Each structure stands twice: as structure tokens, then as C-alpha cells.
Amino acid sequence: MEAEKMELKLYNTMTQQKEVLIPITPGKIGLYVCGITAYDFSHIGHARAAVSFDVLYRYLKHLGYEVNFVRNFTDVDDKIIIRANENGEDPLDLSNRFCEEYLVDMGALQCLLPTHQPRVSEHMDHIIKMIEKIIEKDCGYVVEGDVFFSVDKSPNYGKLSGQLLEHTRAGERVAVDSRKRNPADFALWKAAKPDEPSWESPWGPGRPGWHIECSAMSAHYLSPKFDIHGGGADLKFPHHENEIAQTCAACEDSGVNYWLHNGHVTINNEKMAKSKKNFKTIREITASYHPLALRHFLMSAQYRSPLSFSASQLENSSDALYYVYQTLQDLDEDLSPYREALSEDGGKAEQTPEGKDIIKKLKSEFESKMLDDLNTAHILTGAYQDALKFINANRSKLKKMQKKQRMSMLVSLVEIEKAAREVLDVLGLLTTLSYAEVLKEMKLKTLIRAEMGEEDILREIEDRITARNNKDFAKSDEIREKLTRKGIALMDFGKETVWRPCFPSQADTSN
């Protein structure tokens, strides 16, 4: 797909409106996203940011753009030092461990690896050089080995977040320092303290402040002026506001054309955060739900909107994806006897008119939603559901069709499957596993949530068969309902009974 022919509109936080994406260099996009502070397992708030910008990355590539995607790791920070001291561990060892754990979670969530994943500890030279430039421009000052940025020297400070300078709080993660010229001044460099990691600098040993890392690393990997900067909504102030001030002070030709911010994940109407101890880790959720179900849930609202976490929403996502994969698996099985005939036909047979219309609507609806600020809400409904219904309505009729009619239907079903897979791929919901393997994994997660084993279900099925043979239909219904409450549906096919996951009926899914 040619990027120039598709107008992608993105909501720019700086201008507070949707704008058509016009890259600085035609056909290429520079994208920087603030990553995690690596001191613990990541929670699903972190996952939402990762998935939101992974969708952007994937869609830009789908449109034909060459994307230079940079996402940093903060591996030098107060929180890391505190946790490391609690554990009796070296701070860099601790942060490295949780950087690796984060990448495991990202792999499970089908997030593509960025082009670059820089760490603060590996870019001290770039950070120090940028601080030196800021001081040279008289926008920073040294106090007893610490270096502060003077916000009074930044005339547009507060433009991104809408914060007036006189109303801003200190832009760092510690109490206000009386040595500052303005309470809103923030740390560029922190003088070394006992038992903390430090690096040599012109101002003495120390380590960077929180904000300077992103300015230095984005300038290094993308240039001081680039296309898109992303992050969570909580980063608008002070982090992104301070980034703008630093980069503008250090670099004459600087700026970000589009600022994108994803909404929070909330739990009990509060932002999910480690500081509030109301968070669910990615690892905790994926222990009992398939990672694709979590990814689907994280995309179930438009990325800028808040997303309320609940088990019932995860169940909805799990059920929706199971239906998609089961439909595609059933189609794959029904097409199997005709693969050779399709190969011999060599593309001579044409699709059915209805099949062509299904594909046209599916692609049109998908692109129109994604081009409108990546609106993934209800993305697998509407025309996508119509495509799945068409598959289910026609795959079982193949044997009864005449040869010419069957060949046209086969071609239609194959092309609809391709279109459905393409949508899943762009959304990051398609894995390298077969449909059957994904369904098997989802069933295993269902058993974990139901606290049952496969043998337990088979025993219940046998008991139900016995009850039906004895015409004890009340007991038969009781067994079915008991399993349905646990998220397990029994399906009768003649004399055979099989089970599949379903949304738990009358279950407590509030946790």
C-alpha cells in the first residue's frame, strides 16, 4: 500500500486536533516512544502504551512507510536505586533483569521490536554533551555538582500540557530544592550520593535527571527534529514539557511535529499505577488469559480514551478472539479437500459477487477506522463479523455445490480468509502458530480460570451423557449450566459432545 495515497489523521496533543500525517522526509517516519523505568514487572498500564504504539508502528508499515522506531529503557533512576538497595542488588543488574522481563512480556503480546531500544546507562556521553550545550546557551546552571534547567529561559514552557509556568510544580521526582532559581526548575544532572551509581562529568561524578535522557537519545537516533513522539497521558507534564524545553535549548533546529498520548488503564475508577498499589502485572493476567486476549482488550477502546479494567472485559475479548480463530480453523479444515483443485485452477475461477462485496466492505471499514486516529474500538465487529458469518454460512455447503459454483465459492472463501488474516496481522493479533495451536492455548487458559483439568470436563460430559440416556434432563441441564458458569460451553454434534470456552454466565467477573 502506498503511504501517499492514504491520509492518516492523528490527534496532536500540541494542537489539540486531528491532523493529517505529513512526514518530514517523504515515505519515512521517525517515531520515539517513552519506555519503562525498569525496576519491577510491568503492569497492564505499561502494556497499553506498548500495544497502542505497536499498532501505530504496524499500521505505518502497512501504509508503506519506512519507520525508525525508538523506545528507550530508563535503567538509571531513583526508583531503581531504592528497589536495588532493598534487594541488596546492584542497580544496573536489577534494571537489566527487568528490561529483559519486559521484552518477554512484549513478545507474548505480539509487540514488534523497535528499531532501537537505547538505555540511559549506555548513552552518558550524549546526555553530558547535551547538558553542556544547554549550559552554554545560558539555559542551565550548576549548583554544588547538580545542574538545573532554568524554565524562565523557555518562553513556550507549558504549551504542550497547558500548564501555566506560575502554576507548575517542580519538574523532578523529589521535593523542591531551595537552591533553585525557580521552583519549577528541574534537574539535568544529580551530584553523586553514597552507594549510588555515578558517572564522571564536567560537574563532578553523578547521574542524569529523569528528563534529559529522552531528549539526548531521540536527538541521537532520530535527530533533534522528528515526526512523532508518543507516551502515556501522564507524561505530558512534566516529562514531555521538559523534553521540549531541553531539546529547544540545546538544538537550534528542533521540534516534534506530532505528539501522541495514550489514555490510562483504570481500575475502580482510578489510574492503575504501582504507586497506588492497584495494578495488575502483564504476567499476572497472562497466567490465566491468552496474551492475544489481553492485547485485544487493550485495543477495545480508542487509544486516547481511558480503558476500564475488568475480568468481564477480558472474557469478552477472549470469547471474541476464540470465535475468530475457530471460524478460520473450521474454514481451513473445510478447504483442505479442495487445495489441490484450487492449485490446478491457477486463478481462472472468479469470486462470487457477494464474496467480492464482503472483502471490499471489510477492507474499506478497517482502513477508514484506522486512518481516523487509529480507532481500534469495535475493530473486529461490523464488516469483519459479516465476513466470518459468510464463511460459516458457506463453508459447509461446498460439497452440495456444482463444480463451477463451488470453485467460485472456494476462491471467495480463500480471499476472504486472506483479508481477515491481513487485518489480524496489522492489529498484531496473528501469530506464527496455526489456528489449531492458538485455540488449544486458549482452551488451556480457560481450564486455568475454571480451576479444572481436561479430564474433569470429560468426566462431566460422561455424567451428562448418562443423565440424558436415563432421561434425567434436569441433571443434564444442571451439568451444562454448572460448566457454563465456569466459562465452558458444551456443544452437541449428533452423539458427540465437545467443549469450547465461552463467556461465564452469572459468574463474578468483577475482579
Side-chain angles (χ1 to χ4, degrees):
M1 188 168 296
E2 296 180 20
E4 289 77 8
K5 294 180 181 179
M6 308 289 283
E7 284 197 343
L8 172 60
K9 291 184 178 180
L10 298 171
Y11 184 87
N12 190 347
T13 305
M14 182 65 82
T15 60
Q16 298 184 42
Q17 63 183 6
K18 292 180 187 177
E19 299 177 354
V20 175
L21 176 64
I22 302 173
I24 295 170
T25 303
K28 296 184 178 182
I29 294 290
L31 168 64
Y32 187 93
V33 175
C34 292
I36 61 161
T37 300
Y39 70 99
D40 202 345
F41 287 102
S42 296
H43 59 64
I44 59 174
H46 299 129
R48 191 184 191 198
V51 168
S52 295
F53 291 104
D54 181 66
V55 170
L56 171 62
Y57 183 34
R58 286 173 176 272
Y59 193 61
L60 289 171
K61 287 162 71 76
H62 168 71
L63 293 179
Y65 287 108
E66 180 185 331
V67 186
N68 187 358
F69 176 21
V70 184
R71 184 183 65 209
N72 74 301
F73 281 114
T74 298
D75 63 346
V76 179
D77 183 81
D78 292 338
K79 293 180 179 180
I80 295 170
I81 294 167
I82 292 169
R83 180 62 58 85
N85 288 339
E86 291 172 351
N87 293 356
E89 189 175 359
D90 178 79
L92 288 177
D93 288 344
L94 176 118
S95 59
N96 180 65
R97 179 158 55 87
F98 284 113
C99 286
E100 296 304 316
E101 295 290 2
Y102 177 79
L103 293 176
V104 171
D105 288 335
M106 293 302 99
L109 290 172
Q110 290 287 113
C111 289
L112 299 174
L113 287 175
T115 317
H116 304 284
Q117 297 187 88
R119 301 187 186 192
V120 177
S121 61
E122 298 169 352
H123 291 79
M124 287 300 166
D125 288 346
H126 299 111
I127 290 169
I128 290 169
K129 286 177 183 177
M130 180 167 275
I131 295 173
E132 287 179 316
K133 288 181 180 178
I134 291 171
I135 294 172
E136 288 172 12
K137 298 288 182 66
D138 196 31
C139 293
Y141 56 95
V142 183
V143 182
E144 300 170 0
D146 291 322
V147 184
F148 295 102
F149 185 91
S150 179
V151 295
D152 292 320
K153 299 296 179 69
S154 180
N156 293 320
Y157 191 80
K159 186 177 180 181
L160 176 70
S161 61
Q163 296 264 15
L164 296 175
L165 185 55
E166 58 267 28
H167 295 159
T168 57
R169 300 181 299 249
E172 53 181 323
R173 295 180 175 183
V174 294
V176 175
D177 191 328
S178 61
R179 300 173 301 162
K180 294 180 181 180
R181 296 174 183 173
N182 184 317
D185 291 352
F186 55 89
L188 296 171
W189 188 261
K190 297 181 179 183
K193 294 179 182 178
D195 301 320
E196 288 189 358
S198 63
W199 289 260
E200 289 300 324
S201 79
W203 320 286
R207 58 188 173 88
W210 174 29
H211 315 290
I212 190 67
E213 62 187 76
C214 289
S215 289
M217 290 190 287
S218 62
H220 175 67
Y221 286 97
L222 299 175
S223 87
K225 187 176 183 64
F226 58 95
D227 299 291
I228 304 172
H229 195 314
D234 56 323
L235 297 181
K236 283 186 280 188
F237 183 86
H239 186 54
H240 288 164
E241 202 70 74
N242 292 349
E243 271 192 66
I244 294 170
Q246 293 166 158
T247 308
C248 287
C251 311
E252 292 181 3
D253 185 20
S254 65
V256 172
N257 285 355
Y258 305 87
W259 285 91
L260 272 59
H261 294 93
N262 66 276
H264 299 139
V265 175
T266 60
I267 186 165
N268 298 325
N269 297 317
E270 279 193 322
K271 175 198 167 188
M272 187 176 289
K274 288 178 180 174
S275 59
K276 296 182 179 180
K277 298 181 179 179
N278 66 345
F279 64 92
K280 300 276 187 182
T281 65
I282 299 169
R283 208 67 62 88
E284 182 183 355
I285 298 300
T286 55
S288 53
Y289 287 92
H290 198 284
L292 289 182
L294 176 55
R295 184 180 176 100
H296 183 278
F297 161 71
L298 294 169
M299 295 189 297
S300 62
Q302 204 274 347
Y303 77 92
R304 286 187 290 114
S305 304
L307 180 62
S308 179
F309 171 80
S310 70
S312 62
Q313 293 298 323
L314 275 172
E315 291 286 357
N316 276 331
S317 288
S318 185
D319 197 49
L321 270 183
Y322 193 90
Y323 172 65
V324 170
Y325 270 88
Q326 185 65 67
T327 298
L328 295 177
Q329 168 64 14
D330 291 342
L331 175 61
D332 188 56
E333 291 178 357
D334 288 333
L335 289 178
S336 183
Y338 305 105
R339 297 289 185 190
E340 188 176 342
L342 279 165
S343 179
E344 290 175 355
D345 179 71
K348 296 174 186 176
E350 291 190 5
Q351 297 181 53
T352 65
E354 188 179 1
K356 287 182 179 179
D357 190 52
I358 287 284
I359 293 172
K360 183 179 179 181
K361 287 180 179 177
L362 171 61
K363 291 184 175 182
S364 175
E365 185 176 287
F366 174 70
E367 298 294 352
S368 64
K369 285 183 177 181
M370 293 298 287
L371 290 169
D372 185 16
D373 198 25
L374 308 173
N375 187 8
T376 56
H378 313 295
I379 198 75
L380 297 183
T381 61
Y384 198 92
Q385 287 296 307
D386 290 341
L388 298 180
K389 289 175 184 176
F390 181 87
I391 290 172
N392 284 322
N394 290 284
R395 63 182 178 78
S396 58
K397 299 177 183 178
L398 291 170
K399 290 181 181 179
K400 299 178 183 179
M401 293 179 179
Q402 294 181 354
K403 185 176 180 181
K404 186 176 180 179
Q405 180 190 20
R406 181 166 60 232
M407 191 56 67
S408 291
M409 181 56 68
L410 285 168
V411 173
S412 292
L413 290 172
V414 167
E415 292 304 314
I416 289 172
E417 181 193 13
K418 285 181 183 177
R421 283 177 61 88
E422 183 180 17
V423 169
L424 292 178
D425 189 34
V426 175
L427 295 175
L429 294 172
L430 188 68
T431 78
T432 56
L433 299 177
S434 67
Y435 303 139
E437 288 170 325
V438 174
L439 290 169
K440 183 179 179 180
E441 288 183 345
M442 295 186 81
K443 291 181 80 171
L444 287 174
K445 296 295 184 182
T446 300
L447 292 174
I448 291 171
R449 297 197 298 277
E451 298 180 334
M452 297 181 74
E454 183 86 31
E455 65 281 358
D456 297 320
I457 297 178
L458 295 178
R459 192 159 45 245
E460 294 284 4
I461 289 173
E462 286 300 320
D463 289 346
R464 180 169 171 268
I465 291 172
T466 300
R468 294 175 74 186
N469 289 339
N470 294 335
K471 300 190 184 302
D472 189 351
F473 299 113
K475 185 175 181 180
S476 171
D477 291 343
E478 180 187 334
I479 293 171
R480 180 193 287 271
E481 289 167 8
K482 179 175 69 173
L483 291 175
T484 304
R485 285 195 295 273
K486 289 179 173 287
I488 294 165
L490 299 183
M491 318 284 286
D492 295 319
F493 296 97
K495 294 182 179 181
E496 183 185 8
T497 300
V498 298
W499 74 274
R500 58 148 286 176
C502 69
F503 189 91
S505 67
Q506 300 176 4
D508 179 11
T509 54
S510 60
N511 293 325

